[in-house]
Structure formats: C-alpha cells, structure tokens
C-alpha cells in the first residue's frame, strides 16, 4: 500500500443549488426553530442524516397537507404551484431554496404554456423526479415527459412542439431527441427546442471522464437514489471499467486496492466533500 496516490476530484461535490439549499437549512436550524423539509434535501443519505441530527425534519406531500403554522424548506429541485397554494391555505412559511436555474426554467415553461395552450410542451426528464413534477405543474399537468430518445415516437408530429429539458439530463441525448423531432415534424407544425441543461452539471461529464482515465481505480461516492449520480458513474465506468459506486467508506473492499498505484475519488452533484474525504481517510487506514 506504500506510495499509493489518492486524488479527490475538485470538480465533484455539491452544485450551487444544493449548496445554497443546505446553507439555508443550516441558517434556519441555528435559530433553534423547527424546520421541515419537503422531500430529502439532497439524494445522499449521510448528508440527510447529518442535517436530521441538527433538527431538520423530512416530510412528504401527505404530511405537508396535515401541517399548519410551520416553516417548510423547499429544496433545490423546485415544486409545482399546487405546493405553494397548499402552504398559503395552511399558513405555512416557505423557505424557498429552489435552484435559480430550475426557477428560471419553471417560469419559461409557464409562459410558453400560457402563450400556446394547444401546443405540446415536452420535457426530457425522469418521470416522477421532483424537478420534473415541478415543471409539469407549470402546465396544469399537461406537459408530456419523455425519458429517453426511445420515447420520442409517442409525440404527435402534426402538432406544435416546444421541447425543454430537466436541468441535469445528458446533453448528447437531448441533441438526439432534437434531431429526431426535426426529421419527423410535419411541415405545418412549429418545433422549437430550448437547451435548459445546467452547465455546471453538463460540464461534469467531460471533466469526470478525464479524471476517470487518469487513475487505476475509481471510487464514485454517491447515494443510489441520485439520477445525476447514475449518469456520471456510467461515464466513469465507460472510461475506466475499474470503477465502483459506493455510498460510503464502509463499502470499500480491500481487494480493490491490490496492485493499484492511484485511486481517484469523485461523486455526484449530491455528494458532500466531507464524505469523499472520509473515503480517502478509510483507504489510508486500509
């Protein structure tokens, strides 16, 4: 194990939106008030546990309906208009930590929907994902969600199409979808696409790819619920087959370190820096 080099990817870790949400939660909790968070603040079990110990109470939409006269944090993913309406009815104070990139996208979709109610508003995203639910909510539930280029055939190409993307999706696949629609759209219909992918997330693909190629072993630290994590981990695995997805240091198998000279530790936009550091320390102890 002597001379083993361990590098933590400087480009990994919380994105701007998540950092802001966690800061807002910590600020509120430091006042000693009870703070509820609608859904996991971040798709990382250990970070959620750290904040739970500080007093953050995670609730779901059913709990929210029962809650009155309380403070509720909306995480970076954003929420549909119905959530805000419910909060007003129940006298709930909203601490809004919706990511500015997501907020901007919600506004754009709402404006487009109101301007062209008969068009198809299409969102390239993960069905049921918190951000996507917030986006679909801007269209009174009418937007069509496509998860991959395979789903694009379901669209009605005789009607106008306005295409948007969940902020954390793959840029390449988004371009494939655009190309397919351009080929199939009827001459009488309008098609417009809006690249709404967050560059802070999109730029991680080429960066993580370069990082993965530099090391003998890659440990990708990430909660298994993170959709952004799955995309980035698959990219690591493609570049470097000796890549393992782990949620924390206890999952590191000593056998992985046999005949290894360099280890790269990286993660998703939902992976805290302290967790990657814990994994580094665990390797040093091994």
């Amino acid at each position: 194990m002597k001379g083993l080099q361990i590098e933590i990817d400087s480009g990994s870790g919380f994105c701007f939106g998540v950092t802001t949400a966690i800061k807002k939660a910590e600020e509120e909790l430091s006042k000693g008030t009870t703070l509820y968070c609608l859904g996991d603040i971040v798709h990382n079990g250990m970070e959620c546990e750290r904040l739970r110990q500080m007093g953050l109470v995670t609730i779901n939409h059913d709990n929210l309906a029962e809650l009155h006269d309380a403070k509720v944090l909306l995480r970076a993913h954003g929420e549909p208009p119905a959530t805000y309406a419910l909060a007003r009815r129940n006298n709930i104070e909203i601490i809004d930590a919706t990511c500015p990139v997501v907020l901007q996208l919600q506004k754009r979709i709402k404006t487009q929907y109101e301007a062209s109610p008969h068009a198809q508003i299409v969102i390239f995203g993960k069905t049921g994902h918190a951000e996507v639910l917030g986006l679909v909510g801007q269209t009174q539930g009418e937007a069509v969600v496509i998860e991959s280029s395979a789903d694009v055939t379901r669209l009605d190409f005789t009607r106008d199409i306005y295409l948007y993307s969940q902020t954390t999706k793959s840029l390449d696949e988004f371009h494939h979808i655009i190309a397919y629609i351009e080929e199939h759209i009827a001459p009488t219909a309008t098609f417009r696409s809006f690249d709404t992918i967050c560059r802070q997330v999109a730029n991680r693909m080429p960066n993580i790819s370069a990082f993965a190629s530099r090391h003998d072993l890659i440990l990708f630290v990430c909660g298994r619920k993170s959709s952004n994590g799955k995309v980035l981990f698959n990219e690591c695995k493609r570049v470097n087959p000796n890549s393992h997805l782990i949620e924390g240091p206890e999952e590191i198998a000593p056998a992985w370190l046999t005949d290894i000279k360099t280890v790269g530790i990286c993660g998703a936009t939902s992976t805290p820096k302290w967790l990657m550091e814990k994994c580094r320390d665990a390797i040093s102890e091994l």
Side-chain angles (χ1 to χ4, degrees):
M1 293 303 295
K2 232 178 172 181
L4 179 72
Q5 284 187 315
I6 308 167
E7 184 190 358
I8 294 178
D9 174 31
S10 61
S12 287
F14 291 153
C15 61
F16 168 77
V18 172
T19 304
T20 309
I22 287 169
K23 271 204 187 109
K24 282 191 177 181
E26 288 172 338
E27 273 166 28
E28 287 299 323
L29 293 166
S30 69
K31 296 173 190 170
T33 49
T34 301
L35 180 65
Y36 296 92
C37 180
L38 188 54
D40 288 338
I41 193 164
V42 61
H43 288 146
N44 186 282
M46 292 191 182
E47 181 64 2
C48 287
E49 179 55 28
R50 182 184 76 84
L51 289 161
R52 191 188 68 78
Q53 288 179 1
M54 286 178 72
L56 187 67
V57 182
T58 303
I59 58 169
N60 60 28
H61 287 83
D62 292 341
N63 306 141
L64 184 73
E66 304 292 313
L67 204 61
H68 292 80
D69 315 312
K71 250 186 203 183
V72 176
L73 178 99
L74 302 186
R75 57 201 178 154
H77 302 94
E79 282 291 322
T83 302
Y84 293 86
L86 175 64
R88 283 193 295 275
R89 287 200 301 276
N90 289 7
N91 193 34
I92 288 168
E93 185 190 333
I94 293 274
I95 309 291
D96 202 338
T98 304
C99 168
V101 180
V102 174
L103 212 48
Q104 185 64 30
L105 174 54
Q106 287 184 348
K107 284 179 186 154
R108 285 176 73 171
I109 289 176
K110 187 175 195 287
T111 306
Q112 186 68 65
Y113 173 72
E114 286 169 356
S116 30
H118 303 298
Q120 292 170 97
I121 304 275
V122 180
I123 296 161
F124 168 44
K126 189 180 174 190
T127 308
H129 186 281
E131 182 191 324
V132 174
L133 293 174
L135 300 177
V136 172
Q138 309 304 318
T139 67
Q140 299 183 6
E142 286 183 26
V144 181
V145 178
I146 56 173
E147 292 210 352
S148 68
S149 27
D151 288 346
V152 79
T153 53
R154 291 194 289 117
L155 300 177
D156 179 351
F157 296 104
T158 64
R159 286 170 59 207
D160 294 353
I161 295 174
Y162 293 94
L163 174 71
Y164 297 85
S165 174
Q166 179 183 338
T167 58
T168 53
K169 292 300 275 183
S170 147
L171 209 46
D172 283 351
E173 196 165 8
F174 187 62
H175 289 145
H176 286 314
I177 290 167
I178 292 171
Y180 187 93
I181 298 173
E182 281 174 344
E183 273 172 40
H184 294 80
I185 192 86
T188 50
T190 301
F191 168 53
R192 289 190 66 195
S193 64
F194 306 91
D195 177 355
T196 50
I197 291 167
C198 173
R199 285 305 180 265
Q200 212 195 343
V201 176
N203 293 341
R204 294 199 176 190
M205 277 299 258
N207 294 349
I208 214 147
S209 179
F211 181 80
S213 66
R214 289 207 301 272
H215 297 283
D216 300 334
L217 166 70
I218 288 292
L219 297 180
F220 190 88
V221 189
C222 161
R224 289 191 167 85
K225 270 193 211 169
S226 166
S227 44
N228 156 260
K230 282 192 191 90
V231 173
L232 290 171
F233 173 66
N234 288 338
E235 180 60 14
C236 285
K237 194 94 176 150
R238 187 186 70 77
V239 173
N240 183 341
N242 197 19
S243 297
H244 299 273
L245 188 141
I246 57 169
E247 287 205 337
E250 63 292 337
E251 291 184 25
I252 300 169
W256 295 345
L257 302 165
T258 313
D259 301 326
I260 295 291
K261 289 192 174 67
T262 68
V263 179
I265 300 174
C266 51
T269 51
S270 53
T271 306
K273 271 279 193 304
W274 63 261
L275 188 54
M276 290 186 276
E277 287 165 358
K278 266 194 157 173
C279 293
R280 176 198 59 202
D281 299 344
I283 294 170
S284 305
E285 281 166 23
L286 283 170

